[in-house]
Amino acid sequence: MQFVEFLENNTTSDFQFIRPSGNPANLTLFKAMFSGADLVVTDHSLIKIQKLEVVGDMAFACMTESAVFEYKGTPNNDRYSTTAILRRVDGVWKFCWMHRSTGDQEETPEFDWSLATASA
C-alpha cells in the first residue's frame, strides 16, 4: 500500500502511465494494478538516473530500474528503462507521465546520451 500512497501524493490529476504493452493507464487504473491480487511486487530498485533535465516547471527523467514481482503467479525479475515527465505544481514536483519499457533479466545497456544531444 505504500506505493499507492506515493502515487496519490506525487502524481498530477492527469497522470498517465504507458505500460510495456503500450496500453495507457490513468492514476485510477495504475493504483488498482498495485492494489489487486494479480500483481505482487517483492523488490524494486532505482538503479540509475540516466538523464535529468529541468526547464522551468517541467522536467524529463530517464531511469534504469529493476523489479522482482509475480503477475498472476508468473515470477518476473526485470531490468527496464522508465521515462518520466514531471511538472512543478505549487512548488512540488509531481509525475504527470511515465513510460516503462519491456523488462529483461539482462543488464539494460547504457544509452549514449551524447548522441542525442550532439549538434548537427
Side-chain angles (χ1 to χ4, degrees):
M1 206 50 114
Q2 275 183 321
F3 186 63
V4 171
E5 290 173 15
F6 174 85
L7 290 171
E8 290 171 344
N9 295 325
N10 295 285
T11 56
T12 60
S13 60
D14 60 348
F15 173 80
Q16 290 287 312
F17 178 81
I18 308 302
R19 296 177 277 185
S21 63
N23 295 321
N26 63 17
L27 181 57
T28 301
L29 179 57
F30 196 56
K31 287 183 346 186
M33 288 169 40
F34 283 90
S35 299
D38 287 346
L39 178 63
V40 179
V41 179
T42 55
D43 187 43
H44 172 265
S45 297
L46 173 62
I47 296 169
K48 184 176 180 181
I49 297 174
Q50 303 289 350
K51 184 168 184 78
L52 176 63
E53 287 194 21
V54 178
V55 178
D57 288 334
M58 299 292 289
F60 164 81
C62 182
M63 304 159 283
T64 301
E65 300 180 72
S66 67
V68 178
F69 62 96
E70 285 189 11
Y71 181 69
K72 295 185 177 181
T74 301
N76 291 270
N77 184 356
D78 287 355
R79 287 179 66 102
Y80 52 93
S81 296
T82 304
T83 54
I85 299 173
L86 297 95
R87 184 182 315 134
R88 188 170 19 208
V89 179
D90 297 327
V92 178
W93 287 102
K94 297 188 177 244
F95 290 93
C96 58
W97 178 273
M98 294 182 80
H99 188 174
R100 180 195 188 278
S101 71
T102 56
D104 61 39
Q105 295 178 356
E106 302 297 319
E107 184 169 333
T108 303
E110 180 109 7
F111 183 76
D112 184 355
W113 285 100
S114 67
L115 297 175
T117 57
S119 58

